[in-house]
Amino acid sequence: MCGIVGYVGHRPALDVVLGGLRRMEYRGYDSAGVAVLDGAGALTVERKAGRLANLEGRLDEVGREHFGGTAGMGHTRWATHGAPIDRNSHPHRDASERVAVVHNGIIENFAALRAELEADGVEMASDTDTETAAHLVARAYTEGDTKGDFTASVAAVCRRLEGAFTLVVTHADHPDTIVAARRSSPLVVGVGEGEHFVASDVAAFIEHTREAVELGQDQLVVITREGYDVLDFHGDAAQAKPFTVDWDLSAAEKGGHEYFMLKEIEEQPEALANTLRGHFESGRIILDEQRISDQDLRDVDKVFVVACGSAYHSGLVAKYAIEHWTRLPVEVELASEFRYRDPVLDRDTLVVAVSQSGETADTLEAVRHAREQKARVLAVCNTNGAQIPRESDAVLYTHAGPEIGVASTKAFLAQIAANYLVGLALAQARGTKYPDEVAREYAELEAMPAAVQKVLSTVEQVRDLGRRIADSKAILFLGRHVGFPVALEGALKLKELAYMHAEGFAAGELKHGPIALIEDGLPVVVVMPSPKGRAVLHSKLVSNISEIQARGARTIVIAEEGDETVRPFADELIEVPAVPTLLQPLVSTVPLQVLAAEIARARGYDVDKPRNLAKSVTVE
Ligand code: AGP
């Protein structure tokens, strides 16, 4: 997710905007830029790939006196469409350079809009979806019903955009006005004395004002030095929600949470929705970059998933779906083991490399080994332009936004969703699923953000449980089928965050040894399948729970809401919404993330920066 700040007031806009961008650096980004309106009708833009310091250095080279106005905007980009290079950095302008736009989100229909503009003779200067908005606003302002009306021009363009967006627009003809709009992406107004702000995040302006207004869905706002007006996309007055920011700057960066990880747990519905968005068009699954033909996908006779840590667990989850949907054998391998075991690979092998950072050395070396063996590689990655996607034949980006917490949460759920899209793309190419079946599976995935949101609304019970069992010596996690990788992920979260011994098991393995670990009061988390899914799995897991309860375990059961069969065996029952069998990891993982974070907090540990760990392990 990108950082955006706009300002109209009495101070030098460049200082205010750069200050706002600095306070949003925590969000993670790969390029930055500014646009400033001076009073004489000039719109000056500078942008640079890399850190803010690169942009500031560039401004010094050019001469900051060229950026002297009291209205302007800035942007820190987390690349979605187009590599993180100068020409893809925001702000983007139209050909006349009279209109500048910064954007956060994904314009789903940008390809059609781009084709329309190019057919009109517009030459695109970047690979981004954002640039189309700049050209469209310029065209709406110079012709037709909205000619000469800045606000109406922006509104008309917003009505044509599909997807999620926060847009902030400036026009050289209106040096004392900024127009901003939002759909399914954050936008707040800062209300000052003789100055007003728009931003993706209150952190950008709370040093200047704590009076804010949160815009609603499909609303736009016009800010000037004197005030602001909120309208809908048809130009009619609309109501927005004023509020006073009572967070300090540090809390504001974390959306009011104590830790980034807690904020990122809450962002999971949005991360899922953004990852799925735009990958099903005209009845077909589409990947971001597919340099593998459908014929090559049809020729695939074996799939490997290679990854580390949570990404590896997302591969274990995906194995069940990909094998079920495509009837292809899927091996899920720890990247650090993959190349040393001399796996059997050839040009009909598809290797799926899953990585949030796209820089993990073990996974990168596995990708290189696979390519040396002529296998085709598809990357599932959360970081646009990272090394692993750059060295792959095809890419599917997760759009979880920057994940600051070292322990993976929203990226993990997004990886599961993306891996499922890969499975559906394979099934579609191979014909093992009819188009209507692919559409149905995609529709079930699209319902998951709401299901995860429902889980998030009930996690106070889990936080309370975490505080009560924070002094445990160890906690075991059990699951069957797709619940088994969830058990592994729950154990990993607890190890990473609370430095507590934790282990995930396939529940069927209990009697082959681990049941010897069960002792009086030992907490055991059990991830239950739906009673309406694979009934045999459900009944076997109930038997497993009764076996461990008989030996003194404290059973903590994650089960589908209304599952009365399991209630008598649960010392603690955590209910999650009923979802299709293969999608259960998306709801059952969330309580385990919250449990681990709460135990870590109770133990007084830094949830965002666990000891000994780095966010991206770039050494083998
Ligand atoms: C998960 O919580 C950990 N942060 C770690 O296991 C992580 O998933 C692993 O290092 C892989 O990182 P990547 O997704 O960036 O490749």
Side-chain angles (χ1 to χ4, degrees):
M1 284 173 288
C2 308
I4 289 178
V5 55
Y7 174 75
V8 183
H10 47 79
R11 290 179 237 236
L14 185 63
D15 296 346
V16 174
V17 164
L18 288 174
L21 294 183
R22 275 186 219 103
R23 271 182 296 290
M24 291 189 289
E25 277 203 284
Y26 70 86
R27 297 166 72 105
Y29 62 97
D30 44 52
S31 62
V34 294
V36 175
L37 292 150
D38 71 10
L43 169 61
T44 316
V45 169
E46 194 53 66
R47 58 213 180 137
K48 202 82 186 118
R51 311 300 295 166
L52 259 183
N54 295 5
L55 173 65
E56 301 221 45
R58 180 76 185 126
L59 290 168
D60 292 336
E61 280 170 26
V62 171
R64 296 190 184 220
E65 63 278 8
H66 298 297
F67 297 82
T70 59
M73 62 182 180
H75 184 269
T76 46
R77 180 175 184 241
W78 177 265
T80 52
H81 291 85
I85 53 180
D86 290 1
R87 68 186 175 87
N88 286 338
S89 307
H90 301 207
H92 287 283
R93 285 170 289 186
D94 72 304
S96 74
E97 300 196 341
R98 305 284 299 161
V99 176
V101 174
V102 296
H103 164 230
N104 178 28
I106 299 167
I107 298 173
E108 275 184 57
N109 60 332
F110 90 96
L113 296 171
R114 187 183 177 105
E116 177 191 313
L117 288 162
E118 287 174 332
D120 274 358
V122 172
E123 281 190 37
M124 307 306 275
S126 78
D127 311 319
T128 67
D129 51 349
T130 309
E131 188 189 345
T132 55
H135 292 297
L136 289 170
V137 170
R139 192 171 66 176
Y141 184 77
T142 51
E143 60 190 53
D145 303 344
T146 56
K147 183 174 180 178
D149 186 331
F150 181 24
T151 302
S153 299
V154 176
V157 171
C158 287
R159 294 195 295 270
R160 294 199 61 197
L161 302 183
E162 294 168 15
F165 53 84
T166 299
L167 286 181
V168 179
V169 189
T170 54
H171 197 299
D173 292 0
H174 301 269
D176 57 359
T177 302
I178 287 182
V179 181
R182 74 166 293 263
R183 170 181 290 159
S184 305
S185 175
L187 178 63
V188 284
V189 179
V191 183
E193 292 293 323
E195 59 183 8
H196 288 80
F197 307 76
V198 286
S200 46
D201 185 321
V202 295
F205 58 68
I206 64 166
E207 73 171 295
H208 302 299
T209 178
R210 289 179 175 273
E211 297 312 311
V213 178
E214 184 178 355
L215 290 198
Q217 185 73 330
D218 284 16
Q219 287 186 345
L220 59 80
V221 63
V222 182
I223 65 166
T224 62
R225 183 182 292 205
E226 293 74 32
Y228 67 93
D229 286 319
V230 178
L231 309 169
D232 63 22
F233 284 1
H234 294 283
D236 299 327
Q239 291 304 313
K241 203 166 45 176
F243 66 98
T244 301
V245 183
D246 57 5
W247 301 327
D248 62 20
L249 181 57
S250 166
E253 290 174 347
K254 305 178 182 75
H257 293 280
E258 186 184 1
Y259 292 105
F260 284 113
M261 181 189 165
L262 306 182
K263 172 170 170 272
E264 286 153 9
I265 287 173
E266 298 283 329
E267 287 174 342
Q268 292 186 110
E270 183 185 1
L272 275 180
N274 287 342
T275 296
L276 293 166
R277 184 171 285 118
H279 286 295
F280 188 72
E281 265 185 22
S282 317
R284 286 181 56 78
I285 295 285
I286 53 172
L287 305 181
D288 281 300
E289 297 165 29
Q290 184 174 327
R291 297 182 288 275
I292 307 178
S293 70
D294 271 359
Q295 185 53 52
D296 290 337
L297 286 181
R298 272 191 288 279
D299 294 341
V300 166
D301 59 13
K302 182 170 189 179
V303 177
F304 278 89
V305 181
V306 294
C308 305
S310 293
Y312 168 71
H313 296 153
S314 81
L316 291 174
V317 169
K319 171 188 171 76
Y320 294 90
I322 298 175
E323 287 189 335
H324 185 60
W325 291 340
T326 68
R327 306 316 299 151
L328 281 170
V330 177
E331 289 196 41
V332 187
E333 289 273 348
L334 287 169
S336 54
E337 291 293 317
F338 177 68
R339 63 197 176 110
Y340 297 113
R341 78 167 180 83
D342 196 13
V344 178
L345 305 168
D346 61 30
R347 58 176 293 102
D348 291 336
T349 308
L350 178 69
V351 173
V352 181
V354 185
S355 176
Q356 187 287 129
S357 63
E359 301 295 347
T360 299
D362 289 322
T363 310
L364 179 58
E365 289 307 324
V367 164
R368 288 170 177 163
H369 178 76
R371 302 208 63 185
E372 283 159 16
Q373 305 297 314
K374 308 297 177 228
R376 299 177 194 285
V377 178
L378 187 156
V380 172
C381 186
N382 195 47
T383 310
N384 195 300
Q387 196 62 29
I388 288 170
R390 279 210 302 272
E391 297 195 23
S392 299
D393 298 299
V395 183
L396 181 59
Y397 283 109
T398 52
H399 292 295
E403 189 174 67
I404 313 296
V406 166
S408 186
T409 50
K410 61 177 183 175
F412 174 67
L413 257 57
Q415 284 163 354
I416 292 175
N419 293 343
Y420 279 9
L421 290 177
V422 171
L424 289 174
L426 273 169
Q428 169 182 279
R430 300 169 56 77
T432 50
K433 270 197 171 294
Y434 297 123
D436 60 336
E437 294 173 313
V438 171
R440 200 161 44 245
E441 298 288 356
Y442 184 80
E444 288 185 344
L445 276 168
E446 281 195 306
M448 286 302 103
V452 172
Q453 191 59 58
K454 195 173 173 192
V455 178
L456 291 170
S457 63
T458 62
V459 289
E460 194 45 49
Q461 169 202 3
V462 179
R463 291 198 187 97
D464 173 61
L465 170 63
R467 291 187 286 269
R468 285 187 280 120
I469 63 174
D471 294 337
S472 306
K473 284 204 322 289
I475 296 180
L476 304 186
F477 294 77
L478 303 183
R480 284 181 180 261
H481 197 257
V482 288
F484 169 37
V486 174
L488 295 176
E489 176 63 10
L492 175 61
K493 289 283 127 353
L494 200 54
K495 281 181 262 195
E496 280 189 284
L497 295 166
Y499 319 148
M500 181 194 291
H501 177 69
E503 203 157 344
F505 296 104
E509 272 300 287
L510 260 180
K511 54 187 166 306
H512 300 289
I515 200 164
L517 289 170
I518 305 299
E519 56 190 30
D520 200 37
L522 175 70
V524 180
V525 176
V526 185
V527 181
M528 288 299 293
S530 165
K532 301 187 285 292
R534 306 288 297 276
V536 63
L537 292 173
H538 187 273
S539 60
K540 288 192 182 303
L541 211 40
V542 169
S543 306
N544 295 141
I545 298 176
S546 62
E547 286 160 16
I548 59 174
Q549 202 172 42
R551 290 164 176 79
R554 181 177 184 175
T555 57
I556 299 165
V557 181
I558 316 284
E560 182 177 289
E561 57 196 12
D563 181 353
E564 291 308 318
T565 320
V566 80
R567 190 177 292 275
F569 303 95
D571 295 320
E572 306 275 349
L573 181 61
I574 296 164
E575 295 189 294
V576 293
V579 298
T581 296
L582 288 171
L583 303 185
Q584 280 176 349
L586 293 170
V587 292
S588 50
T589 302
V590 177
L592 306 190
Q593 297 166 342
V594 174
L595 184 69
E598 203 56 37
I599 291 174
R601 289 172 77 182
R603 290 185 161 201
Y605 298 145
D606 183 334
V607 170
D608 282 337
K609 301 187 183 75
R611 69 185 182 195
N612 310 336
L613 292 175
K615 183 60 185 170
S616 177
V617 183
T618 53
V619 292
E620 279 195 276

